[in-house]
Amino acid sequence: MIEILLNMQLIALVFLFLSLFLPLFFFSFSRFSNNKEAAPNKQTVTIPKSYPLIGSYFALKRVGNRIIQWESDILQISPANTFTFHRPLGHLQVFTANPANVEYILKTRFSNYQKGYIVISTLSDFLGTGIFNADGNTWKFQRQIASHEFNTKSLRKFVEQVVDAELSHHLIPIMASAAHQDQTLDFQDILQRFTFDNICKIAFGFDANYLTPSVERSKFAVAYEEATEIISRRFRQLFPLVWKVKRALNIGSEKRLRMAVREVHEFAKNIVREKKRELKEKESLESVDMLSRFLTSGHSDEDFVTDMVISFILAGKDTTSAALTWFFWLLSKNPRVEKEIVKEIMEKSEAPVYDEVKHMVYTHAALCESMRLYPPVPTDTKEAVEDDVLPDGTVVKKGMFVTYHVYAMGRSESIWGEDWAEFKPERWLEKLESGKWKFVAKDSFTYPVFQAGPRMCLGKDMAFMQMQSVVAGILRRFAVVPTVAEGVEPNFICFLSSQMEGGFPVKIIERETTN
C-alpha cells in the first residue's frame, strides 16, 4: 500500500513538472535552436553561460557525446583549473583538475567528500551496499576485509593462472583465427569479453564463457552487461525523476533493468549457496577465488558477500579492457614505442610469469602513459557532507557535487609540460648507469587514475599484472592494426568507465620473428 502511494506521489510530481516547467523549457529551446552557432571546438571553448531554471543545459546539450573533452577544455582555460557548473533547477557542481584540490578531496578532508546519497541510491538497485557503493563504516569494514585478501601471495598466483589460461586457451586462438582468415575484429568487444571472463573466475570461480564463440551465452553475462549499461544511463538523465517514475511504474528500460538485476543476483546467490555447501562438505576448498576467501574468513551472509563480489566484477570488467583498448590504439600510431615494447617482450620467456612481467619496465611505463591520456575512469564525483572551501578558494556548499577530472589532469600543460600531447613512455623512466630503465612513479594526486588516499584502488597491482601479461602474450605473436581511415580519431566516451565510441575495428597480423 505504501509503495502504491509513493508511486502516485511520483506521478503527481511529474505532471506538476510538465505543466509548470516544460512550456518555459521548450520556449527557451525554440529560441536557442534558431541560433546557428556551431558546437564549440577547442579553439572557441568558453566558460558556459547559465540561465534561470535551466542553468547551462544548452551548452551541455550542444557538445553531445564530447562531454568529457569539453569539460577538459573548459578546465584548461579556467583559473586554478577549476570551474563551477550550473545544472538545471539551481544545482551546482564543481569540476577541478587541480592536484592540490584533489589531495584535499581524497585525503586531507576525506571524511567530507563521500559517495553521497544520490550516487549510492542511483546504483543501489544493482550494487546494493557493495564496497564501491558504500560510505562510512560499511565501506571501512569491507575495505579491511578486501585489503587483507588482496595482499596475499596466493591470490596473486591464482590471478596469474587465470589470466594465463584465458589468454592461451581463448584470446590467442581467436586472434590467430582472425589473422588466418583476414577477419576484422571489434577489438574493444573482444577485450571486454576477455576481462569479463577473467574477473568472473577471479571473483566467483565461475567461467562465464563470454569470450568463446558459442550458440548460447551465459545468461549471467548477458544480464550483467545489460544491467551495467542501463544503470549507467541513469546518470545521464537531465531530471532523475524520469527514471525514478519509470522504475516505480516498472516500464521501459527500468523494467529491463529490474529483470537483469534479478537474473544477476539470483545467479550470484546460487553460487554463494553452492560455495557454502562445498565448504561444509570439504575440509579445504581447492578454489581460491575471492568468494571462497570471503566465506572461509567467516563472512557468510549471502547479501553481504553477493554485493561485495558483484562490485568487484564491475570494477574489474571494463576498466582493464578500456585501458588496453586505448593502449593498442596508441601503439598503432606510435611504431617507435611498439618496437621498444616488442624488444622488451622478446627478452622474456614465451610464457612470462609474474616475476618476469613485473620487470617489463618499458611496457609498464607505456601503460601508465596510455592511461594518462585515456584514463579508464575519466572523472570521479564526491558529495560534500558540509560547507567547505577548496585550497584554490572555490566555495563548496553542503550537498554539492565535486568532481575531480582525471582526463583533464592528464592533458594539463602545467602538470606534464608542453609535450603533454605526445605519447611518451620515457616521461615515466630514468636511465641508470647500467643502461637499463628504472620506472619512476608519479604522485597519485597528480595522476589519480587509480584514485588516491584511503580509497586507493586495491586491485592496482593485479590490473598491471593482467595488462602486462596480455600485452606480452599478444605482441609476441601479433600486430594489432586499426582499420579506420588515416587521420580519423576515435571518440572517447564514458558511462561507468571509458569506451571507444563505435568499437575498435582491427586486423590481426601475424608477427614475423627470427630465431
Side-chain angles (χ1 to χ4, degrees):
M1 185 65 184
I2 293 174
E3 186 175 352
I4 293 172
L5 289 172
L6 288 172
N7 291 347
M8 291 177 68
Q9 288 177 344
L10 281 170
I11 295 168
L13 284 170
V14 170
F15 280 115
L16 179 63
F17 170 79
L18 292 173
S19 61
L20 293 179
F21 296 133
L22 282 193
L24 175 60
F25 181 84
F26 283 113
F27 173 71
S28 302
F29 183 75
S30 64
R31 292 186 62 191
F32 178 80
S33 297
N34 291 328
N35 188 342
K36 302 294 185 181
E37 184 182 359
N41 54 39
K42 192 165 184 177
Q43 287 70 39
T44 63
V45 69
T46 58
I47 306 295
K49 292 181 180 179
S50 175
Y51 301 94
L53 185 64
I54 60 172
S56 298
Y57 169 74
F58 288 141
L60 193 65
K61 185 73 174 174
R62 271 198 306 162
V63 298
N65 58 10
R66 288 196 70 258
I67 186 171
I68 298 295
Q69 296 91 329
W70 177 69
E71 292 166 350
S72 175
D73 292 345
I74 293 172
L75 283 164
Q76 309 305 345
I77 64 169
S78 299
N81 300 121
T82 303
F83 78 97
T84 301
F85 183 76
H86 293 254
R87 292 198 171 277
L89 305 180
H91 296 296
L92 300 177
Q93 180 172 358
V94 172
F95 286 88
T96 186
N98 186 323
N101 287 345
V102 174
E103 182 171 6
Y104 187 80
I105 294 163
L106 297 183
K107 180 184 176 183
T108 310
R109 288 278 282 154
F110 172 77
S111 61
N112 192 49
Y113 296 94
Q114 301 290 307
K115 286 279 185 182
Y117 171 76
I118 293 176
V119 170
I120 289 175
S121 61
T122 301
L123 294 173
S124 63
D125 289 339
F126 185 32
L127 298 183
T129 57
I131 188 171
F132 299 113
N133 199 42
D135 278 331
N137 290 332
T138 303
W139 165 78
K140 191 179 293 184
F141 178 60
Q142 294 185 64
R143 176 83 179 189
Q144 289 172 345
I145 297 169
S147 180
H148 172 73
E149 297 302 340
F150 269 93
N151 287 322
T152 59
K153 289 184 179 179
S154 57
L155 179 62
R156 188 191 73 193
K157 187 67 178 176
F158 175 63
V159 173
E160 181 184 338
Q161 291 169 350
V162 168
V163 174
D164 180 62
E166 285 293 312
L167 188 64
S168 57
H169 299 321
H170 295 113
L171 183 58
I172 295 299
I174 286 173
M175 295 182 70
S177 175
H180 180 69
Q181 298 176 32
D182 192 31
Q183 179 186 1
T184 298
L185 293 179
D186 179 353
F187 206 46
Q188 177 171 252
D189 180 62
I190 292 292
L191 289 170
Q192 286 173 344
R193 292 173 183 274
F194 170 77
T195 54
F196 187 83
D197 282 351
N198 272 338
I199 197 63
C200 282
K201 278 192 176 180
I202 293 165
F204 278 138
F206 160 69
D207 188 356
N209 199 32
Y210 202 40
L211 176 62
T212 306
S214 61
V215 176
E216 185 178 352
R217 296 213 176 269
S218 163
K219 289 182 180 179
F220 173 75
V222 174
Y224 204 103
E225 290 290 308
E226 184 166 30
T228 304
E229 180 180 344
I230 295 173
I231 209 156
S232 67
R233 291 186 183 277
R234 284 180 172 181
F235 290 101
R236 294 197 165 195
Q237 293 278 356
L238 177 62
F239 299 104
L241 189 61
V242 174
W243 69 257
K244 290 180 180 180
V245 169
K246 288 168 69 177
R247 180 179 65 178
L249 298 176
N250 196 29
I251 59 174
S253 59
E254 289 296 317
K255 180 179 181 179
R256 299 201 314 275
L257 174 64
R258 183 171 293 182
M259 293 168 64
V261 167
R262 186 188 302 124
E263 180 75 40
V264 169
H265 281 215
E266 285 180 359
F267 185 90
K269 285 185 178 181
N270 284 335
I271 291 181
V272 172
R273 290 166 191 150
E274 180 63 22
K275 290 281 184 186
K276 289 170 76 173
R277 185 188 62 78
E278 289 179 19
L279 284 169
K280 279 186 177 181
E281 293 178 357
K282 300 178 181 178
E283 291 185 8
S284 63
L285 196 62
E286 291 183 6
S287 177
V288 286
D289 56 80
M290 293 177 69
L291 174 59
S292 299
R293 290 166 182 271
F294 293 147
L295 291 173
T296 53
S297 62
H299 306 285
S300 58
D301 180 80
E302 283 184 11
D303 290 331
F304 173 78
V305 291
T306 298
D307 286 349
M308 200 167 179
V309 173
I310 285 175
S311 285
F312 279 117
I313 292 177
L314 183 66
K317 91 180 180 70
D318 280 343
T319 52
T320 305
S321 62
L324 288 169
T325 297
W326 291 103
F327 174 81
F328 281 104
W329 160 255
L330 284 168
L331 277 196
S332 71
K333 295 173 60 184
N334 295 272
R336 177 193 68 82
V337 175
E338 181 175 9
K339 184 178 179 180
E340 286 294 324
I341 292 173
V342 171
K343 177 184 175 185
E344 184 176 64
I345 291 168
M346 294 304 181
E347 292 172 353
K348 307 297 179 184
S349 60
E350 190 156 344
V353 295
Y354 175 76
D355 288 336
E356 284 194 338
V357 167
K358 72 179 181 182
H359 290 119
M360 290 169 54
V361 179
Y362 195 90
T363 303
H364 184 86
L367 285 163
C368 289
E369 181 72 346
S370 174
M371 288 186 286
R372 173 181 72 85
L373 292 167
Y374 297 106
V377 182
T379 64
D380 187 33
T381 299
K382 309 296 183 185
E383 185 178 319
V385 176
E386 57 187 39
D387 293 353
D388 201 1
V389 179
L390 298 180
D392 65 6
T394 302
V395 174
V396 176
K397 295 295 184 181
K398 178 181 177 179
M400 278 177 60
F401 283 150
V402 180
T403 299
Y404 65 94
H405 210 288
V406 185
Y407 181 92
M409 294 179 76
R411 291 157 185 270
S412 171
E413 186 174 324
S414 62
I415 296 175
W416 301 99
E418 294 181 358
D419 64 348
W420 68 264
E422 293 182 34
F423 178 53
K424 186 177 167 184
E426 287 77 10
R427 74 175 82 241
W428 297 82
L429 298 168
E430 177 185 314
K431 202 81 165 182
L432 299 175
E433 289 184 7
S434 62
K436 293 185 177 181
W437 290 113
K438 175 187 176 184
F439 181 80
V440 181
K442 306 299 180 186
D443 173 68
S444 60
F445 302 107
T446 298
Y447 180 76
V449 168
F450 292 91
Q451 286 216 38
R455 279 192 183 262
M456 184 79 170
C457 177
L458 289 170
K460 178 181 176 180
D461 291 340
M462 182 192 297
F464 272 114
M465 186 272 285
Q466 180 176 354
M467 289 189 290
Q468 287 174 252
S469 297
V470 171
V471 169
I474 290 175
L475 291 184
R476 177 179 289 276
R477 287 195 53 182
F478 308 107
V480 178
V481 182
T483 60
V484 296
E486 186 70 28
V488 174
E489 295 282 333
N491 192 32
F492 182 94
I493 61 173
C494 181
F495 291 104
L496 293 182
S497 60
S498 67
Q499 293 181 22
M500 190 177 286
E501 186 178 32
F504 183 28
V506 302
K507 292 285 189 180
I508 308 299
I509 310 297
E510 288 273 7
R511 192 177 297 282
E512 293 183 8
T513 58
T514 54
N515 294 327

